[in-house]
Amino acid sequence: MSSLDLMLINPPCNTVEKVDYLVVGTVLEFNVNAVNPGILSMASYVESFGQSVKIIDLRPNADFEMLRREVRAEQPRVFGVGTTSGWQYLETLRCFEVAKEEHPAALTIGGGQHLGPLGETALRDCSALDAVAVTEGEWIVRELIERIGRNPARLDLSGIPGLLYRDGDRILGDGDHAPPLIDLDEMPFLNFELWPDYRAFTPFVEESRGCPHHCTYCTASHSAKLARASGAHGQRFKSPGRMLAEFDHLASLYGKNVLYALLASTFGVKAAPTLEFLGGMQTRGIQWGTELRADCPWPEYIDKLHAAGARELLIGVESCSTEILRRLRKSADPEGYLRRAEDYIHQAKIHGLYPGINLIAFVGENPRTMQQTMAFLLRNAADLYRVGANSVFLFAGTPLAHQFAELAREFGAERVATPYADKTHCYPVKLSRDLSYEAGAYWCHLLSKTFSCNEINQLGERRYDYSSYDFCLEAGKHDV
């Protein structure tokens, strides 16, 4: 019998069944091959306690027969799959089916941004799925492995916050609370060498988890709600010293001739630790990109960013219409938010950065709100290097999912229910009486193309692949 404690799978995308609606204006236009941060974090955490783990990356080739051979050979005690989007959902369920066919005794667990909030729905969709981690999975997976080790014949899954599980025909567990949230400074360094062919992917450091905001469209709202129910609030941060040590470690693996990603729901929320981090990065010759909000204290450190290696900084504007921003719950002061966003774009360009913005076509969009967004983009076109625009989708666990019936009555919006959307619980949205889903998607595609620079547009399907962003790297700043 194998001694493998944990096998983790990065599932492929849109291969089991093809999407039956327009994909223009969605990430399906692009080849987004990347390390799954949640999977790598769970693997690294479990390994740090001496438990054995193996990662299988199916994203590049969707080789389910290879997965079958791996499960048969390794016979893992726990088999986990993490989904980062609804377009991996059917593939995720297929992974569980393969695992149970080859090793019925394995405990199968799913999670991630899409499957986690589905919870009970996912368990009812797939009889080969035993349990769902509804939010962060590191502590949960380690607890499961330890319980199996103590009593494999009579595994008890009760009393684990953040875990739903199958017991015969019943769905039990606590899906209303988060598990114990681990101090991010206490987490082990990510072991990128666990990831197959890790050098082919963008390296990253995680700055923080969680978000203090409650934007209507965002799946982060689900995890934030569970964290609040468990007594935790807002973001959890790594200390500047910890982040600097992680960058040093990664530079020893990847060198300095790449653009690193700094992962955060919103970077730079606290000025003092951000300034300390930037000061430490000035001597390291590492170049990186991240995302932030217009209302973070960026004026206190924008003049330090370039010297600290920052290059691409995307700002979550979401809409350039104050009406839509209010509906998104992006800011209590949408007029002020847009003024700060415009000022940031201009200042970022002056300070040698590559400013970009993210946009969402949202419920209630109409010719007036579209004109406002276009006017903002035209005013700032000379300073923008990238615009990423997508039409909103309806996902479980978001405030939008709870409010949609009311918004639909008010604006004539509709959930676009196709066979594929019904199976994946990932719905396109007719935005309003004025805009079909297709019209909104094409508009987003047009904005992304028109207001992004030539270097970005020439990347084609690799538009979101940092390993292709050589034009952001500065000569003399990345000697190994």
Side-chain angles (χ1 to χ4, degrees):
M1 183 175 180
S2 170
S3 61
L4 186 67
D5 292 307
L6 176 65
M7 180 178 285
L8 290 170
I9 312 301
N10 187 38
C13 182
N14 192 33
T15 57
V16 167
E17 188 173 320
K18 292 298 182 182
V19 171
D20 58 5
Y21 46 77
L22 183 72
V23 300
V24 166
T26 74
V27 296
L28 288 178
E29 284 191 90
F30 310 106
N31 180 24
V32 187
N33 278 331
V35 171
N36 182 318
I39 287 176
L40 185 58
S41 183
M42 281 189 288
S44 303
Y45 184 73
V46 164
E47 186 192 48
S48 74
F49 287 92
Q51 295 161 336
S52 55
V53 60
K54 185 172 188 176
I55 295 173
I56 307 293
D57 185 11
L58 294 182
R59 189 67 186 263
N61 51 31
D63 190 346
F64 290 103
E65 288 307 308
M66 180 269 283
L67 176 62
R68 188 178 298 279
R69 292 191 297 271
E70 290 284 350
V71 174
R72 188 184 307 141
E74 298 289 357
Q75 300 281 290
R77 295 184 177 92
V78 178
F79 178 93
V81 187
T83 58
T84 57
S85 83
W87 297 295
Q88 294 176 299
Y89 185 65
L90 298 181
E91 291 71 22
T92 295
L93 303 189
R94 174 67 62 83
C95 290
F96 293 129
E97 291 165 356
V98 168
K100 284 295 189 182
E101 288 166 7
E102 296 301 327
H103 183 33
L107 176 69
T108 54
I109 180 170
Q113 279 185 302
H114 185 63
L115 193 147
L118 286 174
E120 182 174 337
T121 298
L123 286 163
R124 298 201 183 281
D125 280 348
C126 182
S127 60
L129 174 60
D130 295 324
V132 171
V134 299
T135 181
E136 293 183 30
E138 291 95 345
W139 184 89
I140 290 175
V141 169
R142 183 192 169 209
E143 177 70 13
L144 292 175
I145 293 171
E146 292 188 345
R147 289 191 182 196
I148 291 172
R150 289 195 296 266
N151 193 350
R154 296 179 59 84
L155 179 60
D156 178 12
L157 299 181
S158 64
I160 300 178
L163 185 76
L164 295 173
Y165 62 94
R166 184 189 312 281
D167 182 9
D169 294 331
R170 299 182 301 166
I171 307 299
L172 303 177
D174 179 5
D176 297 324
H177 296 86
L181 298 177
I182 305 162
D183 185 326
L184 297 183
D185 274 1
E186 299 302 318
M187 292 283 285
F189 282 9
L190 294 177
N191 183 359
F192 278 80
E193 292 171 284
L194 288 171
W195 197 273
D197 196 22
Y198 71 95
R199 292 184 187 275
F201 301 97
T202 297
F204 58 84
V205 170
E206 186 180 36
E207 182 230 26
S208 56
R209 291 187 186 181
C211 183
H213 304 279
H214 313 292
C215 299
T216 309
Y217 62 91
C218 187
T219 56
S221 298
H222 173 74
S223 295
K225 180 182 74 174
L226 298 183
R228 288 194 300 274
S230 304
H233 299 276
Q235 281 178 277
R236 291 142 58 212
F237 298 89
K238 287 180 181 173
S239 65
R242 166 58 190 257
M243 287 194 293
L244 294 171
E246 284 195 58
F247 270 112
D248 289 341
H249 171 67
L250 281 183
S252 72
L253 294 176
Y254 286 88
K256 300 178 183 178
N257 200 28
V258 297
L259 187 67
Y260 287 74
L262 184 56
L263 303 187
S265 56
T266 177
F267 169 76
V269 170
K270 296 182 178 181
T274 301
L275 285 166
E276 182 181 343
F277 166 71
L278 295 177
M281 288 294 285
Q282 287 184 8
T283 61
R284 282 171 163 78
I286 296 171
Q287 300 178 79
W288 50 278
T290 192
E291 299 185 2
L292 67 161
R293 287 176 55 102
D295 52 7
C296 73
W298 59 261
E300 298 186 41
Y301 50 74
I302 194 164
D303 59 334
K304 310 291 193 306
L305 285 166
H306 185 271
R311 297 295 175 261
E312 189 216 36
L313 276 87
L314 289 173
I315 190 167
V317 174
E318 319 316 349
S319 175
C320 307
S321 160
T322 55
E323 174 187 336
I324 298 294
L325 282 178
R326 286 190 181 91
R327 199 167 302 132
L328 286 163
R329 296 200 314 213
K330 185 70 179 181
S331 171
D333 178 16
E335 292 85 1
Y337 191 85
L338 288 176
R339 284 194 300 271
R340 282 181 66 93
E342 202 156 1
D343 191 24
Y344 164 78
I345 293 166
H346 181 61
Q347 291 296 323
K349 186 67 176 290
I350 288 174
H351 286 93
L353 305 170
Y354 291 83
I357 63 173
N358 293 325
L359 296 171
I360 296 173
F362 196 64
V363 174
E365 209 78 60
N366 58 54
R368 182 184 63 259
T369 64
M370 295 168 73
Q371 288 168 10
Q372 292 167 345
T373 291
M374 290 289 288
F376 180 99
L377 292 172
L378 287 166
R379 284 197 307 273
N380 294 284
D383 292 334
L384 284 169
Y385 101 103
R386 174 151 79 98
V387 170
N390 301 99
S391 195
V392 72
F393 271 65
L394 198 58
F395 294 107
T398 62
L400 177 60
H402 299 293
Q403 302 166 6
F404 190 74
E406 179 183 343
L407 292 171
R409 286 192 296 270
E410 183 175 356
F411 298 105
E414 294 178 12
R415 187 184 72 168
V416 180
T418 70
Y420 181 87
D422 285 335
K423 290 176 184 177
T424 58
H425 313 289
C426 171
Y427 292 95
V429 174
K430 176 191 173 187
L431 299 174
S432 65
R433 297 179 184 90
D434 297 296
L435 281 179
S436 66
Y437 161 68
E438 291 80 7
Y442 276 120
W443 182 57
C444 289
H445 179 80
L446 178 66
L447 294 181
S448 297
K449 285 282 190 181
T450 304
F451 294 99
S452 296
C453 67
N454 289 335
E455 290 91 342
I456 290 293
N457 284 328
Q458 288 170 3
L459 292 177
E461 68 172 13
R462 297 181 68 83
R463 181 187 184 95
Y464 292 101
D465 185 354
Y466 261 18
S467 66
S468 301
Y469 282 33
D470 292 344
F471 59 89
C472 284
L473 297 174
E474 296 185 9
K477 296 289 186 180
H478 51 269
D479 297 327
V480 177

